[in-house]
Amino acid sequence: MIETPRNTVPVPALSEDLAFLDITTEWDLSASYHQWKPSIVVPAPFRPSPEQVRYVITVANQKGGVGKTLTAFELALSLVARGLRVRLIDADPQVASLTLWLPVIYPEGLSEDQRFSLRDVYYDKCTLAEATYPTRYQGLYLVPSFPNLDQVQNERPTGYETCLRWHLRECDDDFDVTIIDSGPSLGALTVSALVAAHDVVVPVQAASGLDVEGAASLYETINTVTTRMNRDLRVAAIFLTDFEKSKLARTIGGEMAKAFPDALIVPSRTCVKIGEAQLEKKALREFAPEATTVLDYDRGAGILIGRAGL
Ligand SMILES: Nc1ncnc2c1ncn2[C@@H]1O[C@H](COP(=O)(O)OP(=O)(O)OP(=O)(O)O)[C@@H](O)[C@H]1O
Ligand SMILES: [Mg+2]
């Protein structure tokens, strides 16, 4: 892995007097809708990740366009802003993936065929550390992916299920947190990302009633992975993306809390600037640090690692 070059920028800290959501242990769904205020649910059984663990989070939902990449990126930056070293892994073979939004900085003089990506990790062409490159943000690194990652999905190389977990354990670099952004499928790549993780974070669109049903098949996959391959895996948080106060959003949040009673429920409020930020190849946290969406991810990330007040 290459050290951070000088041309990286610090992650902006957020002002303390911004419009953070309140925190509650459950939403009162019997309250009249007009009196009800959206808040972050931290259920009583929820426990943050232990600090000594090199924490691995997989962001997953087989539905496309629900905010997985945004969630992975913004959570990562919130953790970097708290002083942690964070590695993102782009486990999505689509062209329009995290690698496009957050280009890596290759060392000078490295020819194209010397550049590693996640595919090379699955085929044992390099270690995870060798495929980890700095990005424009100090303290944030990325394992990039290209459409040829599809080969893993189609060929399912021997041992693919445990490949990422093995590489993460073998890696002697000093990342505090690794966040894996998966693609819109429950195929080989997502399964191996779930096997590698301590926690799953699930973004669900707050404005789509269909997403609640879609969450059921994710639930089954997570259950299978938990039973057979990763007993300690848990669903740590549901992010309700594109969230605006509405009866539907409240109902979806309530349904998700029923399905995942130990998980955080975090509204990720709507923001119109996400597309512009992507075009500029900047995180929302840098492009629009005052956006309420950024605050929601900041608060959610803090609760996940037990540092909500920082
Ligand atoms: N909080 C939000 N407010 C407004 N729009 C949002 C929000 N969250 C996500 N979106 C919209 O959803 C789009 C898709 O987000 P993103 O690329 O993160 O989804 P994805 O689940 O990673 O998609 P894919 O499955 O294709 O990888 C964004 O470009 C944005 O327009
Ligand atoms: Mg994505």
Side-chain angles (χ1 to χ4, degrees):
M1 203 227 7
I2 304 100
E3 275 319 303
T4 306
R6 280 169 194 223
N7 54 340
T8 57
V9 298
V11 173
L14 301 178
S15 152
E16 265 307 301
D17 54 353
L18 295 166
F20 285 104
L21 290 171
D22 287 341
I23 292 177
T24 174
T25 52
E26 63 182 310
W27 281 354
D28 180 4
L29 298 178
S30 62
S32 93
Y33 173 72
H34 296 290
Q35 283 161 357
W36 176 73
K37 274 214 246 151
S39 49
I40 297 177
V41 178
V42 184
F46 177 80
R47 295 288 171 272
S49 73
E51 272 198 25
Q52 67 280 12
V53 170
R54 291 199 298 169
Y55 184 36
V56 181
I57 304 172
T58 289
V59 181
N61 187 337
Q62 77 282 9
K63 175 117 188 265
V66 295
K68 292 181 287 295
T69 301
L70 175 78
T71 300
F73 195 2
E74 292 302 321
L75 283 181
L77 278 182
S78 302
L79 298 175
V80 171
R82 289 173 166 85
L84 302 180
R85 270 168 70 81
V86 180
R87 170 189 7 236
L88 278 164
I89 297 179
D90 181 359
D92 182 357
Q94 292 182 101
V95 178
S97 68
L98 184 57
T99 305
L100 195 69
W101 191 354
L102 176 69
V104 297
I105 303 172
Y106 293 109
E108 271 176 43
L110 203 68
S111 65
E112 269 195 29
D113 56 349
Q114 292 170 310
R115 297 173 178 181
F116 295 122
S117 71
L118 186 60
R119 179 195 163 279
D120 300 312
V121 175
Y122 277 95
Y123 286 92
D124 286 326
K125 299 255 190 290
C126 67
T127 64
L128 192 62
E130 286 168 331
T132 302
Y133 297 97
T135 67
R136 67 182 263 108
Y137 300 105
Q138 277 164 29
L140 183 65
Y141 293 74
L142 175 70
V143 178
S145 284
F146 305 103
N148 66 9
L149 184 62
D150 244 348
Q151 207 181 339
V152 175
Q153 201 91 279
N154 301 331
E155 285 181 1
R156 300 179 170 235
T158 313
Y160 75 88
E161 284 152 314
T162 49
C163 173
L164 262 189
R165 179 169 67 187
W166 185 84
H167 274 280
L168 277 160
R169 286 186 183 167
E170 288 296 301
C171 233
D172 58 0
D173 51 19
D174 57 352
F175 285 98
D176 302 298
V177 182
T178 294
I179 302 182
I180 307 169
D181 176 28
S182 46
S185 102
L186 291 175
L189 289 162
T190 303
V191 168
S192 83
L194 291 172
V195 172
H198 298 106
D199 281 349
V200 193
V201 162
V202 182
V204 171
Q205 256 181 339
S208 163
L210 296 177
D211 280 17
V212 175
E213 303 216 353
S217 48
L218 180 65
Y219 187 74
E220 265 175 40
T221 304
I222 291 171
N223 257 347
T224 309
V225 171
T226 312
T227 316
R228 298 191 193 154
M229 289 173 278
N230 183 5
R231 205 171 301 160
D232 297 328
L233 184 70
R234 66 166 184 172
V235 176
I238 310 291
F239 281 85
L240 302 172
T241 56
D242 210 355
F243 184 99
E244 278 181 90
K245 185 183 167 186
S246 72
K247 285 189 181 155
L248 178 61
R250 181 165 97 151
T251 306
I252 290 174
E255 290 296 319
M256 296 312 290
K258 257 195 255 161
F260 301 100
D262 297 348
L264 307 175
I265 307 286
V266 188
S268 153
R269 284 170 285 179
T270 293
C271 175
V272 292
K273 293 193 175 162
I274 296 170
E276 278 175 82
Q278 289 169 332
L279 211 60
E280 297 252 331
K281 302 211 185 298
K282 288 182 179 163
L284 194 60
R285 187 177 179 113
E286 184 189 3
F287 187 77
E290 72 297 339
T292 50
T293 323
V294 176
L295 309 185
D296 300 338
Y297 283 112
D298 200 59
R299 192 44 73 90
I303 299 169
L304 276 173
I305 59 157
R307 294 202 221 160
L310 288 179

